[in-house]
Amino acid sequence: MKTTGVVTGIISNLVTIAFEGHVAENEICYVDLNGVKLMAEVIKVTGKNAFAQVFESTRGLKQGDRVEFDGHMLEITLGPGLLSSSYDGLQNNLATMEDIFLKRGEYTAPLDSSKEWDFTPIAAVGDKVSAASWLGEVKEGWLPHKIMVPFSFKGSYTVAKVAAAGKYRIDDTIAVLKDAKGEEVPVTMVQKWPVKVAVGGYKEKPRPYRIMETGVRTIDTLNPIAEGGTGFIPGPFGCGKTVLQHAIAKQCDADVIVMAACGERANEVVEIFKEFPELIDPNTGRKLMERTTIICNTSNMPVAAREASVYTAMTICEYYRAMGLKVLLLADSTSRWAQALREMSNRMEELPGADAFPVDLSSIISNFYSRAGIVTLNNGKTGSVTFIGTVSPAGGNLKEPVTESTKKAARCFYALAQGRADSKRYPAVDPLDSYSKYLEYPEIAECLNNLICPGWVDMVLKAKNLVRRGKEMAEQINILGDDGVPITYHETFWKSELVDFVILQQDAFDEIDSRTSLERQKFMLSLVLEFCDKTYDFETFEECSAYFKNLINSFRQMNFSEWQSEKFNSYLTQIRNILSDGNN
């Protein structure tokens, strides 16, 4: 029998419930509002009182309204059909809503139970299987979607029956498993899993180290992110966070993209829905949306309920990771998630931390980021979830609590600078404030040196140092004037500008420059460093400036030319001539 209770207090979407029976934290309940059931999640239990956050407006709710607890945590449905879909944070399919205006208490099925899928068996009768073992697969678009033993199954099972190849609906039984007691358990193509519990089904084994290639030079060259790694992009409004996320999603070598639009509904979420479905996958020429799932906050979901979106998105990522796929999760913007945590904490009158955020904000963010990673599955295959979030600090203040807490959890820090954005140096990732802690890992350094070329990490560190020295020289030139410093100061400054214009800046809207392969990045950085290693003998700073401006222009034209094409080689010849002619 389900536990029931009554509403005793209401503060916006926080409801206090007096109950009789057993209630657990994170359990789902439904509040009865004149026959309309509103979904809520228990976030705190004290004695016989439960505090629940309602995922919809509580307007009209009153003391004494009945509440029924469901006996399970907030969970989502996993199965074929997740890709190309748009959901809210509770996994309601937005495409099947009755109207363009969302109604309270309207919850839709996330997957189409009437669609037939071409099933191909993988397991055979008599095979020993366990949670997350592959039983078969269907084609979801062009991706192989594995049908797995439900993650909730404990222990070992024997395959008693498996469906023959053919067309089946998601609710059809595709396999029958026999447990240790000899009892038969039917398995369909769908399963449910609580969003705040990480999906398992993998071995505890030393993980392999690989690099996630994004095609964005300022990331891949200077601050690479490991496959299964974590990073975040903080920056003020208008610095290009969304464009950079779109570029990464379009160009990276991931199999599946999951977008968590947990930001401001008036800008971040609208841009995701309007622009992202129009992006073309350069690898296939098809819509990028065909291998993408979008999770967003909707207009009728209270601000304080935004956290559901990021957990739903991460669980979907972990599901595809268990299939041996490379998954990229992009969240825009996790600042709104943190604000939701702050609102609920304040309403429950908890002790506030910095800027009134919860005291345990760092722990919550770290626990979430820790769910990313590359894993070895039970069958020896590998799968990964790489997570890159954005943070929108008020006024661009990178010292505020959400940014500081995220820096402790994420391994890569891509700080967008207002100054670079104002000077149209895109992507506006500050090369000095940004970093990748993966460069400090001996395993990653070895991987990069083997993947790109021996000594690659040393080349990257040299380029970073050039940019740092160039900024120091620029400050001296601005203070003392062009004639007030030695010519060598101008030379060092322009060498850093060469690295900036050729390597760091990139046109996300140009068909060729938008994506740069690792092979091309290696070639361009090596060529740039040849000029930076050269000693010059300029007589005036005007001569130095003219020389490097001409050089930068030729390099920029190369960036817009197809790799190793006739046009590319003609500019390369010009640059080689400049290199051999000295200062001329």
Side-chain angles (χ1 to χ4, degrees):
M1 184 176 178
K2 291 185 176 180
T3 301
T4 60
V6 293
V7 174
T8 59
I10 306 165
I11 306 175
S12 187
N13 73 312
L14 177 66
V15 174
T16 308
I17 305 163
F19 64 89
E20 290 295 333
H22 299 282
V23 171
E25 285 191 19
N26 303 123
E27 185 175 346
I28 289 299
C29 61
Y30 288 89
V31 183
D32 193 329
L33 174 60
N34 300 323
V36 177
K37 291 188 174 182
L38 307 181
M39 183 185 289
E41 180 190 17
V42 176
I43 56 178
K44 185 178 180 181
V45 179
T46 56
K48 288 297 181 180
N49 290 315
F51 296 88
Q53 60 173 344
V54 183
F55 291 115
E56 303 197 56
S57 171
T58 56
R59 180 177 297 175
L61 202 63
K62 59 185 181 298
Q63 289 183 331
D65 284 344
R66 189 172 181 275
V67 180
E68 185 177 88
F69 295 87
D70 223 28
H72 63 79
M73 299 171 67
L74 178 63
E75 60 186 17
I76 61 171
T77 303
L78 303 170
L82 290 171
L83 298 183
S84 304
S85 298
S86 297
Y87 300 108
D88 70 2
L90 305 178
Q91 211 195 7
N92 292 302
N93 195 329
L94 299 179
T96 58
M97 291 288 187
E98 292 183 359
D99 198 356
I100 58 173
F101 296 104
L102 307 178
K103 301 176 182 178
R104 284 197 293 180
E106 181 185 358
Y107 305 112
T108 61
L111 302 177
D112 185 356
S113 59
S114 63
K115 182 177 179 178
E116 292 186 330
W117 299 85
D118 285 316
F119 174 79
T120 303
I122 294 177
V125 174
D127 286 354
K128 294 291 184 181
V129 294
S130 57
S133 293
W134 300 348
L135 299 174
E137 72 175 34
V138 299
K139 285 292 184 183
E140 190 175 12
W142 69 92
L143 288 173
H145 185 116
K146 298 295 189 293
I147 308 302
M148 295 174 279
V149 177
F151 304 128
S152 58
F153 281 26
K154 305 293 184 183
S156 180
Y157 292 78
T158 303
V159 178
K161 296 178 185 177
V162 63
K167 291 184 177 293
Y168 299 91
R169 295 184 176 88
I170 59 174
D171 293 323
D172 293 338
T173 298
I174 54 91
V176 176
L177 308 181
K178 190 175 292 186
D179 63 16
K181 298 179 180 178
E183 296 180 2
E184 293 188 344
V185 185
V187 176
T188 65
M189 293 188 192
V190 296
Q191 58 175 304
K192 292 183 180 292
W193 189 256
V195 297
K196 294 186 177 178
V197 178
V199 171
Y202 51 85
K203 297 178 180 178
E204 292 297 333
K205 183 179 179 181
R207 68 182 190 177
Y209 286 89
R210 295 193 290 263
I211 294 299
M212 169 68 78
E213 185 177 350
T214 67
V216 180
R217 291 190 294 269
T218 190
I219 294 177
D220 291 347
T221 298
L222 285 200
N223 299 297
I225 184 169
E227 181 186 333
T230 56
F232 77 112
I233 308 169
F237 179 79
C239 282
K241 292 190 295 294
T242 301
V243 173
L244 181 56
Q245 275 200 324
H246 287 189
I248 294 171
K250 186 168 70 170
Q251 314 296 350
C252 77
D253 59 349
D255 299 313
V256 173
I257 310 294
V258 177
M259 295 291 301
C262 50
E264 288 291 352
R265 292 180 284 257
N267 30 54
E268 285 115 331
V269 174
V270 170
E271 287 182 355
I272 292 295
F273 272 100
K274 182 179 178 182
E275 299 176 12
F276 198 86
E278 299 301 320
L279 297 180
I280 301 298
D281 184 350
N283 299 313
T284 63
R286 305 166 68 135
K287 294 283 187 182
L288 183 62
M289 190 65 195
E290 293 182 29
R291 59 183 178 95
T292 301
T293 299
I294 295 178
I295 312 294
C296 79
N297 293 309
T298 55
S299 56
N300 66 334
M301 183 176 285
V303 172
R306 282 172 168 158
E307 63 164 340
S309 300
V310 294
Y311 286 107
T312 296
M314 180 59 81
T315 305
I316 291 175
C317 290
E318 292 171 331
Y319 175 62
Y320 281 101
R321 175 173 64 183
M323 300 179 196
L325 299 176
K326 291 192 290 186
V327 188
L328 174 65
L329 171 57
L330 298 170
D332 188 12
S333 141
T334 57
S335 292
R336 315 307 172 199
W337 165 40
Q339 290 168 3
L341 296 172
R342 176 170 63 183
E343 287 196 30
M344 297 312 298
S345 176
N346 293 344
R347 287 171 186 169
M348 291 191 295
E349 300 181 353
E350 295 177 343
L351 183 67
D355 289 3
F357 284 100
V359 176
D360 60 346
L361 177 66
S362 292
S363 175
I364 294 171
I365 292 176
S366 295
N367 286 338
F368 183 78
Y369 270 76
S370 68
R371 292 175 65 171
I374 183 169
V375 299
T376 302
L377 307 177
N378 291 331
N379 57 10
K381 305 288 186 180
T382 60
S384 64
V385 173
T386 306
F387 177 40
I388 300 177
T390 66
V391 176
S392 305
N397 176 23
L398 300 186
K399 299 297 182 183
E400 55 88 41
V402 180
T403 305
E404 287 294 308
S405 297
T406 308
K407 284 178 74 173
K408 297 175 184 177
R411 301 289 91 186
C412 294
F413 177 61
Y414 304 117
L416 297 184
Q418 188 71 60
R420 288 185 66 83
D422 292 342
S423 59
K424 301 296 184 280
R425 298 192 177 206
Y426 290 109
V429 178
D430 191 307
L432 300 181
D433 288 342
S434 303
Y435 60 79
S436 171
K437 291 185 179 179
Y438 293 112
L439 286 174
E440 302 172 7
Y441 293 20
E443 300 90 346
I444 294 295
E446 182 182 358
C447 170
L448 286 168
N449 290 335
N450 292 334
L451 178 66
I452 304 176
C453 70
W456 173 254
V457 175
D458 292 334
M459 293 169 62
V460 170
L461 296 178
K462 180 188 290 186
K464 283 190 172 189
N465 189 55
L466 281 167
V467 175
R468 184 175 294 105
R469 292 279 297 146
K471 183 180 180 181
E472 294 171 357
M473 297 303 104
E475 291 172 351
Q476 292 294 318
I477 293 170
N478 288 335
I479 294 171
L480 301 175
D482 289 330
D483 293 325
V485 297
I487 297 298
T488 54
Y489 280 41
H490 289 276
E491 182 181 319
T492 302
F493 166 71
W494 278 107
K495 285 179 179 179
S496 73
E497 287 289 274
L498 182 62
V499 175
D500 195 330
F501 276 92
V502 179
I503 305 299
L504 302 184
Q505 296 180 46
Q506 194 167 354
D507 189 343
F509 300 99
D510 183 79
E511 184 178 350
I512 295 172
D513 193 39
S514 60
R515 187 181 195 280
T516 307
S517 66
L518 288 179
E519 181 185 7
R520 183 165 181 166
Q521 290 185 48
K522 169 205 161 187
F523 180 85
M524 296 301 286
L525 182 62
S526 300
L527 190 56
V528 165
L529 291 180
E530 278 191 60
F531 282 91
C532 293
D533 289 339
K534 184 178 172 60
T535 300
Y536 298 90
D537 188 22
F538 297 111
E539 294 185 0
T540 64
F541 70 85
E542 290 95 342
E543 182 185 351
C544 176
S545 172
Y547 175 86
F548 279 100
K549 284 180 179 178
N550 179 45
L551 185 60
I552 287 171
N553 181 61
S554 297
F555 267 108
R556 294 278 284 173
Q557 295 305 315
M558 282 181 69
N559 281 342
F560 292 109
S561 304
E562 189 174 343
W563 172 236
Q564 294 183 334
S565 64
E566 183 178 343
K567 185 179 178 183
F568 178 92
N569 289 329
S570 67
Y571 286 114
L572 177 59
T573 300
Q574 289 181 19
I575 290 171
R576 290 292 187 193
N577 290 337
I578 294 174
L579 182 63
S580 61
D581 289 345
N583 296 355
N584 299 321

